[in-house]
Amino acid sequence: MEDYQLTPLIPAKDLHKHVDAVAARINLDYADKNLLLIGILKGSFVFLADLMRLLTVPVEIDFVRLASYGTKSETSGKIQITKDIELPVQGRHVLIVEDIVDTGTTIAWYMERLRTYQPASVRVCTLIDKYERRSVEVPLDYVCVRIEKGFVVGYGLDFSEKHRHLPGIYEVQFNQ
């Protein structure tokens, strides 16, 4: 028996409206540019797949996998790359695609690392901005949804590798 339950937070149809709006902004901002999307694995893959299909600008995609969690809910403060990008970054317009930004530690670290490769630009697109736990300020250029607090799953986000398949966003409610 599970010791938590899922409460619907953002239905799939509403989520898709937010993704559509962000894609429209990206299309305007990068109208005359080639764009490299870098998805942060594993959580961003569903969002990135939907987002890239809405883009009308030329895009290439790559993925990086970063590990920063010492336990299931708290960051260790140490960030490691467990799968690096393979495409060249120098002189390119890079858009990092993230599932959720909460403390900001991981995305800030990765942005600094990417800048050492001398891209033309680096911006961040996130599905969810969970600002309640922000400890490092990071520029989030494209945000689909802002939430104040809560542990969320669905649309690529997981809890112990479960619930990524859900079409909307759900809040995990832990039983007392």
Side-chain angles (χ1 to χ4, degrees):
M1 185 167 148
E2 302 287 341
D3 58 345
Y4 63 92
Q5 60 190 21
L6 303 180
T7 304
L9 187 63
I10 306 166
K13 65 180 175 70
D14 293 344
L15 198 55
H16 288 289
K17 289 178 188 174
H18 293 294
V19 175
D20 289 349
V22 163
R25 286 188 48 225
I26 292 169
N27 284 327
L28 287 173
D29 291 350
Y30 291 93
D32 59 346
K33 297 173 178 70
N34 292 319
L35 185 58
L36 174 58
L37 301 176
I38 298 179
I40 309 284
L41 290 174
K42 293 181 188 173
S44 73
F45 79 99
V46 174
F47 173 43
L48 186 140
D50 285 349
L51 178 69
M52 73 174 214
R53 286 190 294 253
L54 295 169
L55 297 179
T56 56
V57 299
V59 297
E60 291 182 51
I61 64 167
D62 206 341
F63 292 95
V64 64
R65 186 161 184 200
L66 306 173
S68 65
Y69 285 91
T71 67
K72 291 182 181 175
S73 61
E74 294 296 321
T75 183
S76 67
K78 289 182 167 182
I79 300 162
Q80 296 177 326
I81 295 177
T82 60
K83 186 254 179 259
D84 209 348
I85 58 173
E86 298 168 6
L87 295 174
V89 172
Q90 186 174 6
R92 304 201 56 196
H93 296 282
V94 175
L95 183 60
I96 302 169
V97 180
E98 179 67 290
D99 58 350
I100 187 166
V101 176
D102 56 9
T103 65
T105 304
T106 301
I107 196 72
W109 180 87
Y110 191 62
M111 287 178 74
E112 285 304 311
R113 178 178 171 88
L114 275 180
R115 286 188 180 109
T116 67
Y117 296 126
Q118 302 174 335
S121 67
V122 176
R123 289 185 173 178
V124 176
C125 176
T126 188
L127 176 66
I128 298 174
D129 175 13
K130 190 171 95 174
Y131 52 87
E132 74 153 330
R133 293 180 11 129
R134 188 84 80 245
S135 60
V136 177
E137 284 306 312
V138 291
L140 301 179
D141 303 284
Y142 306 98
V143 175
C144 290
V145 178
R146 285 187 168 86
I147 62 173
E148 184 178 337
K149 58 184 176 178
F151 190 86
V152 293
V153 297
Y155 200 68
L157 290 94
D158 75 300
F159 176 50
S160 295
E161 295 299 325
K162 295 180 178 85
H163 311 300
R164 290 187 197 279
H165 69 287
L166 297 172
I169 301 294
Y170 294 77
E171 185 171 4
V172 177
Q173 302 283 326
F174 294 96
N175 298 325
Q176 301 297 334

